């Protein structure tokens, strides 16, 4: 048998991922990208002709004013970077193509650095 025939035989079947599981993955990926907890993220995922659209309502981690920041870029740049990260990681983890990612910031998660004694 040729390699093409063997490859064709191994591609039978398909895997499907439940919508609830996809929402969970998108929520976790979004929380990770914005450095917040998953409980701070609310996700709506819609499926349209093989690709998904993500609308996430989320808090975003920010550094208090007057404190040196470790994250690079402005808030808008960080959100744009998070959109790209979410799109790519969801594709990697679920195999679903993400057509659009809308991030709606609902609050700021302001964390101060604590000293270790």
């Amino acid at each position: 048998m040729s390699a093409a025939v063997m490859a064709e035989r191994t591609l039978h079947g398909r895997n499907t991922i439940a919508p609830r599981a996809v929402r969970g993955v998108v929520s976790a990926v979004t929380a990770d990208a914005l450095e917040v907890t998953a409980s701070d993220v609310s996700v709506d995922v819609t499926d349209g002709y093989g690709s998904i659209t993500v609308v996430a309502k989320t808090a975003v981690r920010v550094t208090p004013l007057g404190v040196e920041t470790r994250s690079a870029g402005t808030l808008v740049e960080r959100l744009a970077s998070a959109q790209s990260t979410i799109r790519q990681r969801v594709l990697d983890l679920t195999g679903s193509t993400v057509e659009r990612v809308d991030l709606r910031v609902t609050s700021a998660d302001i964390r101060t650095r604590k000293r270790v004694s």
Side-chain angles (χ1 to χ4, degrees):
M1 281 189 196
S2 71
V5 172
M6 291 298 290
E8 187 175 298
R9 287 186 180 183
T10 61
L11 297 177
H12 295 290
R14 67 178 188 191
N15 292 326
T16 57
I17 301 173
R20 183 175 178 184
V22 173
R23 279 192 308 273
V25 168
V26 171
S27 180
V29 167
T30 302
D32 187 52
L34 295 171
E35 301 177 11
V36 294
T37 62
S39 63
D40 289 333
V41 178
S42 170
V43 173
D44 184 31
V45 178
T46 55
D47 187 6
Y49 304 106
S51 63
I52 61 175
T53 299
V54 174
V55 177
K57 296 175 185 173
T58 179
V60 63
R61 185 173 183 206
V62 294
T63 306
L65 294 174
V67 176
E68 185 179 330
T69 180
R70 290 185 181 192
S71 58
T74 65
L75 182 58
V76 174
E77 291 169 342
R78 288 178 51 214
L79 291 171
S81 175
Q83 286 175 314
S84 297
T85 300
I86 293 164
R87 183 178 286 114
Q88 186 58 48
R89 291 197 56 208
V90 169
L91 175 63
D92 293 344
L93 293 171
T94 67
S96 299
T97 302
V98 180
E99 180 180 331
R100 191 175 82 221
V101 177
D102 290 340
L103 296 176
R104 298 182 183 164
V105 178
T106 57
S107 62
D109 180 4
I110 301 173
R111 296 185 193 172
T112 57
R113 199 171 188 182
K114 295 182 180 177
R115 293 181 181 227
V116 178
S117 54

